[in-house]
Protein backbone atom coordinates (compact mmCIF):
# COMPACT_ATOMS: atom_id res chain seq x y z
CA UNK A 1 0.00 0.00 0.00
CA UNK A 2 2.93 2.36 0.61
CA UNK A 3 3.83 2.22 -3.07
CA UNK A 4 0.42 3.54 -4.08
CA UNK A 5 0.68 6.36 -1.57
CA UNK A 6 4.04 7.31 -3.11
CA UNK A 7 2.56 7.12 -6.62
CA UNK A 8 -0.38 9.31 -5.59
CA UNK A 9 1.83 11.87 -3.87
CA UNK A 10 4.16 11.95 -6.87
CA UNK A 11 1.26 12.49 -9.25
CA UNK A 12 -0.12 15.28 -7.06
CA UNK A 13 3.33 16.87 -6.81
CA UNK A 14 3.80 16.78 -10.59
CA UNK A 15 0.38 18.31 -11.14
CA UNK A 16 1.10 21.03 -8.57
CA UNK A 17 4.48 21.84 -10.15
CA UNK A 18 2.85 22.10 -13.57
CA UNK A 19 0.09 24.33 -12.18
CA UNK A 20 2.58 26.61 -10.41
CA UNK A 21 4.42 27.05 -13.70
CA UNK A 22 1.23 28.42 -15.24
CA UNK A 23 0.97 31.03 -12.50
CA UNK A 24 4.33 32.64 -13.37
CA UNK A 25 3.67 35.99 -15.06
CA UNK A 26 4.73 36.33 -18.70
CA UNK A 27 6.84 39.39 -17.86
CA UNK A 28 9.08 37.23 -15.66
CA UNK A 29 9.59 34.70 -18.44
CA UNK A 30 10.49 37.34 -21.02
CA UNK A 31 13.58 38.56 -19.16
CA UNK A 32 16.82 37.89 -21.07
CA UNK A 33 18.48 36.18 -18.10
CA UNK A 34 15.58 33.75 -17.72
CA UNK A 35 15.60 32.96 -21.44
CA UNK A 36 19.37 32.29 -21.42
CA UNK A 37 19.07 30.03 -18.39
CA UNK A 38 16.13 28.18 -19.95
CA UNK A 39 18.18 27.58 -23.10
CA UNK A 40 21.22 26.30 -21.17
CA UNK A 41 19.43 24.17 -18.58
CA UNK A 42 18.79 21.10 -20.81
CA UNK A 43 22.46 21.03 -21.84
CA UNK A 44 23.62 21.18 -18.23
CA UNK A 45 21.21 18.44 -17.16
CA UNK A 46 22.26 16.19 -20.03
CA UNK A 47 25.95 16.74 -19.23
CA UNK A 48 25.36 15.91 -15.57
CA UNK A 49 23.44 12.77 -16.47
CA UNK A 50 26.16 11.68 -18.90
CA UNK A 51 28.89 12.23 -16.30
CA UNK A 52 26.96 10.35 -13.63
CA UNK A 53 26.26 7.41 -15.91
CA UNK A 54 29.85 7.30 -17.21
CA UNK A 55 31.86 7.77 -14.03
CA UNK A 56 29.49 6.71 -11.27
CA UNK A 57 28.78 3.31 -9.85
CA UNK A 58 26.74 3.69 -6.71
CA UNK A 59 28.84 5.79 -4.36
CA UNK A 60 32.27 5.56 -5.95
CA UNK A 61 34.10 6.92 -8.95
CA UNK A 62 34.74 4.33 -11.66
CA UNK A 63 37.03 4.69 -14.66
CA UNK A 64 36.38 1.80 -17.03
CA UNK A 65 35.54 1.10 -20.67
CA UNK A 66 32.75 3.67 -20.63
CA UNK A 67 35.36 6.41 -20.48
CA UNK A 68 36.83 5.23 -23.77
CA UNK A 69 33.40 5.17 -25.37
CA UNK A 70 32.67 8.68 -24.16
CA UNK A 71 36.02 9.90 -25.51
CA UNK A 72 35.29 8.28 -28.89
CA UNK A 73 31.84 9.89 -28.99
CA UNK A 74 33.35 13.26 -28.11
CA UNK A 75 35.92 12.93 -30.87
CA UNK A 76 33.23 11.96 -33.37
CA UNK A 77 31.19 15.00 -32.33
CA UNK A 78 34.20 17.28 -32.77
CA UNK A 79 34.64 15.84 -36.26
CA UNK A 80 30.93 16.61 -36.90
CA UNK A 81 29.96 13.01 -37.54
CA UNK A 82 26.26 12.11 -37.86
CA UNK A 83 24.51 10.99 -34.69
CA UNK A 84 24.42 7.31 -35.63
CA UNK A 85 28.15 7.35 -36.34
CA UNK A 86 28.75 8.94 -32.92
CA UNK A 87 26.75 6.21 -31.21
CA UNK A 88 28.41 3.47 -33.27
CA UNK A 89 31.88 4.80 -32.43
CA UNK A 90 31.07 4.89 -28.73
CA UNK A 91 29.68 1.35 -28.80
CA UNK A 92 32.59 -0.02 -30.79
CA UNK A 93 35.27 1.56 -28.60
CA UNK A 94 33.53 0.55 -25.38
CA UNK A 95 33.18 -3.03 -26.61
CA UNK A 96 36.79 -3.07 -27.78
CA UNK A 97 38.14 -1.81 -24.46
CA UNK A 98 36.02 -4.35 -22.57
CA UNK A 99 37.21 -7.16 -24.86
CA UNK A 100 40.85 -6.20 -24.23
CA UNK A 101 40.29 -6.46 -20.53
Amino acid sequence: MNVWIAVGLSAAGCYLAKYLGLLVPASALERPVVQRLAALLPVALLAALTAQQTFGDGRELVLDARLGGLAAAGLALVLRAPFLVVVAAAVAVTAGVRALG
Side-chain angles (χ1 to χ4, degrees), residues 56-93:
D57 187 25
R59 293 182 167 232
E60 56 190 43
L61 180 68
V62 177
L63 299 176
D64 58 5
R66 295 177 290 182
L67 178 60
L70 182 63
L75 179 63
L77 284 172
V78 168
L79 296 174
R80 298 198 178 268
F83 179 71
L84 289 177
V85 174
V86 172
V87 173
V91 169
V93 170

Side-chain angles (χ1 to χ4, degrees), residues 4-20:
W4 288 110
I5 292 172
V7 169
L9 289 175
S10 296
C14 289
Y15 181 79
L16 182 63
K18 193 85 159 168
Y19 182 70
L20 289 175

Side-chain angles (χ1 to χ4, degrees), residues 24-40:
V24 175
S27 61
L29 298 175
E30 292 172 358
R31 294 180 183 161
V33 173
V34 174
Q35 290 181 349
R36 277 192 306 249
L37 288 176
L40 294 176

